């Protein structure tokens, strides 16, 4: 069990590293507007994952783990696949409507719908449910690694690549390859076709309600992290979008490392008693904060060099870029101070409080960005609103934890 978790974390870490290098290749070798277009696609499809998943990554995996007989597994897969199909219909409608506000609207909508169709039949959630999560992580690593190599060779040959070609090579191609390989691997492992299943016309109401609970929380969590960039995508020009995307990429590098660390610690975390888990989360928060202080000292002395890790050296560091990077650093600091607080709440307080916090975050970010747009400061408010939301969520989560701790008499 422990070896399987370590394998998964190792493969997933390398996979995220490949994803990061792909993003940096695009940011450093193409124009600001091209990078903005590419970054917008990544941001929107991250929300699309939640919409199409429709709880399958939570509810679906949890239910499949309990089942042993292939007939029972197939019934559950059919039910959850029906939910995913509903999510896909919503995604198609969203893609068409949103793309009206984007340059090259037909091309952008087509790319989003093709990506969604492939993701609909991507069976990673089934492999996780039948205990093959490390195999799925290895498949993702392999396909992303090949995409990274192909993109590097195309850039090395100095080919003139269009926006849609870059997205096809870097994002759609690896997903299609992973979906095909995963499908064949799943069929070989289960000796049954669990990918191309029928769609139910009716389903248990309690199961649908549970998937909606997971979907709501996951959607709000993704949305409040991305809504600022999405609003910039159709309200401002591509160049401004690209400049803001650099700062979001900077923050996402940190988010990737945080996600890997949480993934590796979470299984152990859940086995602890509440008191011990709370102490561990506070120590981890303190450790993360001390690491941030060291990073802040380095950033204050070498900010230009750090910014140019992501921004091409041929691109001047404008006021917009510097402001958004500085806010991104402050955002990292706030998240470090509550590094494992949300993880503790998810493990010991259930999904209700998590959903509440993400809804609060979405409302805060949405309101501040709309105010920023009407006042003419959207290019500044997109990431500043995320900082405000994370700060208020951190304060509320600490208040919630220690209020309950005091009520229960735990010191």
């Amino acid at each position: 069990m422990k070896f399987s978790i370590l394998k998964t974390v190792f493969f997933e870490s390398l996979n995220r590293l490949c994803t990061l290098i792909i993003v940096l290749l695009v940011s450093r070798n193409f124009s600001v507007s091209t990078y903005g277009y590419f970054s917008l696609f990544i941001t929107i499809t991250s929300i699309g994952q939640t919409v199409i998943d429709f709880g399958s990554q939570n509810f679906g995996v949890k239910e499949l783990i309990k089942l042993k007989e292939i007939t029972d597994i197939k019934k559950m897969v059919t039910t959850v696949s029906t939910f995913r199909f509903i999510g896909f219909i919503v995604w198609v409608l969203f893609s068409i409507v949103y793309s009206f506000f984007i340059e090259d609207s037909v091309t952008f909508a087509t790319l989003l719908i093709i990506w969604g169709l492939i993701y609909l039949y991507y069976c990673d959630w089934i492999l996780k449910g039948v205990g093959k999560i490390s195999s799925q992580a290895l498949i993702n690593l392999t396909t992303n690694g090949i995409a990274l190599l192909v993109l590097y060779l195309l850039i090395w040959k100095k080919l003139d690549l269009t926006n849609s070609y870059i997205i096809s090579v870097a994002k759609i191609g690896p997903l299609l390859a992973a979906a095909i390989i995963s499908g064949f691997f799943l069929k070989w492992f289960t000796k049954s076709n669990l990918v191309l299943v029928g769609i139910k016309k009716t389903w248990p109401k309690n199961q649908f309600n549970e998937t909606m609970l997971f979907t709501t929380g996951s959607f709000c969590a993704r949305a409040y992290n991305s809504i600022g960039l999405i609003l910039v995508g159709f309200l401002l020009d591509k160049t401004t979008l690209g400049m803001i995307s650099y700062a979001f990429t900077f923050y996402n590098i940190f988010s990737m490392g945080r996600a890997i660390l949480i993934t590796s610690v979470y299984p152990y975390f859940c086995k602890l008693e509440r008191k011990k888990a709370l102490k561990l989360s506070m120590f981890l928060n303190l450790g993360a904060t001390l690491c941030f202080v060291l990073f802040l000292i380095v950033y204050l002395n070498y900010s230009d060099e750090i910014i140019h890790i992501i921004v091409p050296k041929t691109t001047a560091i404008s006021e917009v870029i510097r402001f958004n990077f500085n806010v991104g650093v402050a955002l990292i600091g706030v998240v470090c101070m509550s590094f494992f607080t949300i993880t503790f709440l998810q493990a010991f307080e259930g999904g209700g409080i998590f959903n509440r916090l993400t809804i609060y975050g979405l409302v805060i970010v949405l309101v501040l960005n709309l105010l920023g747009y009407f006042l003419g400061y959207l290019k500044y408010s997109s990431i500043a609103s995320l900082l405000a939301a994370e700060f208020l969520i951190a304060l509320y989560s600490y208040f919630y934890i220690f209020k309950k701790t005091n009520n229960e008499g735990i010191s």
Side-chain angles (χ1 to χ4, degrees):
M1 179 67 176
K2 289 183 179 179
F3 181 65
S4 177
I5 293 173
L6 289 174
K7 282 198 303 181
T8 302
V9 172
F10 177 71
F11 292 146
E12 190 61 35
S13 299
L14 292 179
N15 179 44
R16 289 172 185 264
L17 179 62
C18 288
T19 302
L20 172 61
I21 295 173
I22 288 173
V23 170
L24 292 177
L25 279 176
V26 176
S27 74
R28 294 180 64 84
N29 291 280
F30 297 95
S31 66
V32 177
S33 60
T34 296
Y35 179 66
Y37 193 90
F38 177 74
S39 182
L40 182 64
F41 183 85
I42 293 176
T43 302
I44 294 176
T45 51
S46 70
I47 294 179
Q49 289 179 342
T50 303
V51 174
I52 298 174
D53 278 335
F54 214 86
S56 57
Q57 298 288 351
N58 306 99
F59 169 77
V61 172
K62 183 183 72 172
E63 294 300 315
L64 287 177
I65 289 173
K66 302 174 185 176
L67 304 176
K68 301 298 180 183
E69 297 296 329
I70 190 63
T71 52
D72 296 331
I73 291 175
K74 195 161 189 175
K75 286 180 182 178
M76 181 54 63
V77 167
T78 302
T79 299
V80 177
S81 294
T82 301
F83 299 155
R84 286 173 65 90
F85 184 76
I86 295 171
F88 173 69
I89 297 300
V90 174
W91 173 249
V92 171
L93 295 174
F94 168 80
S95 300
I96 294 172
V97 173
Y98 182 80
S99 296
F100 280 131
F101 300 93
I102 303 295
E103 295 179 30
D104 305 323
S105 57
V106 175
T107 302
F108 198 73
T110 302
L111 290 170
L112 290 176
I113 293 171
I114 290 173
W115 174 90
L117 182 61
I118 297 169
Y119 192 76
L120 173 64
Y121 291 101
Y122 182 38
C123 61
D124 64 327
W125 63 279
I126 307 177
L127 284 173
K128 291 174 184 176
V130 297
K132 290 296 176 181
I133 184 171
S134 60
S135 300
Q136 182 60 59
L138 178 58
I139 291 170
N140 292 340
L141 171 61
T142 303
T143 54
N144 260 343
I146 293 172
L148 170 60
L149 179 61
V150 171
L151 182 63
Y152 178 79
L153 291 174
L154 292 173
I155 292 172
W156 179 64
K157 287 183 173 290
K158 301 184 184 301
L159 297 179
D160 186 20
L161 304 179
T162 62
N163 292 339
S164 56
Y165 196 90
I166 294 170
I167 289 172
S168 298
V169 171
K171 300 304 297 180
I172 295 179
L175 178 63
L176 177 60
I180 293 172
I181 296 171
S182 299
F184 279 111
F185 178 78
L186 180 64
K187 188 172 183 180
W188 169 80
F189 178 72
T190 61
K191 304 295 187 295
S192 179
N193 178 22
L194 297 176
V195 178
L196 301 175
V197 296
I199 303 298
K200 286 185 174 183
K201 294 182 179 179
T202 59
W203 49 80
K205 186 177 180 180
N206 63 320
Q207 292 182 348
F208 184 78
N209 291 340
E210 190 170 353
T211 58
M212 281 299 296
L213 179 65
F214 283 117
T215 303
T216 301
S218 299
F219 175 80
C220 289
R222 289 281 179 93
Y224 92 76
N225 276 282
S226 309
I227 195 69
L229 200 61
I230 291 174
L231 288 173
V232 170
F234 71 83
L235 293 174
L236 300 179
D237 58 274
K238 280 185 183 177
T239 301
T240 303
L241 171 64
M243 289 191 291
I244 296 171
S245 297
Y246 289 135
F248 273 92
T249 300
F250 176 63
Y251 171 65
N252 287 335
I253 292 172
F254 162 77
S255 296
M256 285 183 185
R258 181 194 185 199
I260 292 168
L261 184 58
I262 289 176
T263 300
S264 60
V265 173
Y266 189 74
Y268 168 75
F269 200 76
C270 292
K271 295 177 182 178
L272 297 175
E273 296 176 357
R274 188 180 189 277
K275 183 178 178 180
K276 290 182 178 180
L278 178 57
K279 285 184 177 180
L280 176 61
S281 65
M282 293 302 107
F283 278 120
L284 291 170
N285 288 353
L286 178 61
T289 304
L290 291 175
C291 290
F292 168 73
V293 171
L294 295 176
F295 167 74
L296 181 61
I297 294 171
V298 175
Y299 180 80
L300 292 174
N301 288 279
Y302 302 97
S303 60
D304 286 5
E305 290 80 357
I306 292 173
I307 291 173
H308 276 305
I309 292 174
I310 298 172
V311 180
K313 291 187 176 180
T314 53
T315 301
I317 301 176
S318 65
E319 178 193 352
V320 174
I321 292 176
R322 187 174 296 281
F323 174 85
N324 281 277
F325 264 86
N326 290 343
V327 174
V329 171
L331 178 59
I332 291 172
V334 170
V335 174
C336 282
M337 286 186 282
S338 59
F339 202 79
F340 274 88
T341 307
I342 301 298
T343 307
F344 174 83
L345 289 173
Q346 285 181 295
F348 293 93
E349 303 298 334
I353 182 63
F354 174 69
N355 284 3
R356 194 189 315 164
L357 290 173
T358 55
I359 291 172
Y360 291 163
L362 179 58
V363 171
I364 292 168
V365 170
L366 189 58
V367 169
L368 290 179
N369 274 297
L370 290 176
L371 285 174
Y373 172 68
F374 289 117
L375 295 174
Y377 292 102
L378 182 58
K379 57 187 176 183
Y380 300 107
S381 65
S382 57
I383 196 167
S385 60
L386 185 56
L387 171 62
E390 288 286 1
F391 179 73
L392 292 174
I393 286 173
L395 287 180
Y396 182 84
S397 60
Y398 272 113
F399 171 77
Y400 180 91
I401 288 172
F402 287 108
K403 180 181 178 183
K404 185 166 184 178
T405 299
N406 291 332
N407 291 339
E408 293 176 353
I410 302 175
S411 59

